[in-house]
Amino acid sequence: MLHIHLVAFGKCREPYLREACGEYEKRLRPYCRLETTQLTPTPLPERPSPAQVRAALEAEARLALAAIPSQAIAAALCVEGGQLSSEGFSRWLEEAALRGGRVCFLIGSAHGLDESLKRRAALRLSLSEMTFPHQLARVMLLEQIYRGFQISGGGKYHKQMLE
């Protein structure tokens, strides 16, 4: 069984987002072992300087690196990452299960992820060319993980597009 670890900065503050995460976490139980580590973002002033943002990202990277399980294949959600179709993401999850069975997804704070975390990642993944709040990105990632398992198992959740 694939072991998925989600390392995310910040809490899902909005009740509807917490409920959505909870729903997908429940749906994923038969398919994988899912653990979530919520880390506290480094506080920044309202209008931080580039140097303050860099220092905060470096501090957050130290926390995140310590939270990545040993032997886990890391995947960083970042704007410059590549995009995968749902089918492609499903295949990536299948391959990750064969390569060791441990995956760690990294979701940064409002300013993203430090470059050291991106270098550590075997996959840099962008969910879209659009920008989303990191709390919503967590819901979207959980949904795509669930969809990936449904695709692999031939479930009815994912509708195939007709050519």
Side-chain angles (χ1 to χ4, degrees), residues 64-148:
L65 285 168
I68 299 172
S70 63
Q71 308 301 317
I73 299 165
L77 273 67
C78 53
V79 68
E80 69 275 14
Q83 294 182 20
L84 294 172
S85 66
S86 294
E87 294 83 2
F89 185 64
S90 178
R91 285 188 298 277
W92 187 86
L93 287 172
E94 288 175 354
E95 292 167 8
L98 294 173
R99 288 187 306 225
R102 293 180 73 92
V103 175
C104 181
F105 289 98
L106 303 165
I107 299 177
S109 63
H111 291 281
L113 293 169
D114 185 65
E115 191 59 37
S116 63
L117 290 172
K118 295 174 191 178
R119 282 192 305 269
R120 166 68 172 81
L123 173 67
R124 291 183 188 193
L125 180 64
S126 171
L127 296 177
S128 172
E129 289 185 18
M130 296 179 182
T131 302
F132 299 103
H134 60 278
Q135 296 176 28
L136 183 55
R138 188 184 312 191
V139 175
M140 294 167 64
L141 175 63
L142 289 170
E143 190 279 337
Q144 284 299 299
I145 293 169
Y146 176 70
R147 183 177 297 274

Side-chain angles (χ1 to χ4, degrees), residues 1-14:
M1 180 175 278
L2 186 61
H3 183 162
I4 297 176
H5 198 95
L6 177 60
V7 174
F9 282 90
K11 296 178 180 179
C12 280
R13 291 190 180 111
E14 302 298 331

Side-chain angles (χ1 to χ4, degrees), residues 22-39:
E23 176 63 27
Y24 285 110
E25 289 167 1
K26 182 177 74 175
R27 290 182 185 196
L28 283 166
R29 284 186 194 128
Y31 303 101
C32 67
R33 184 169 161 220
L34 177 67
E35 291 182 48
T36 300
T37 300
Q38 290 185 153
L39 301 173

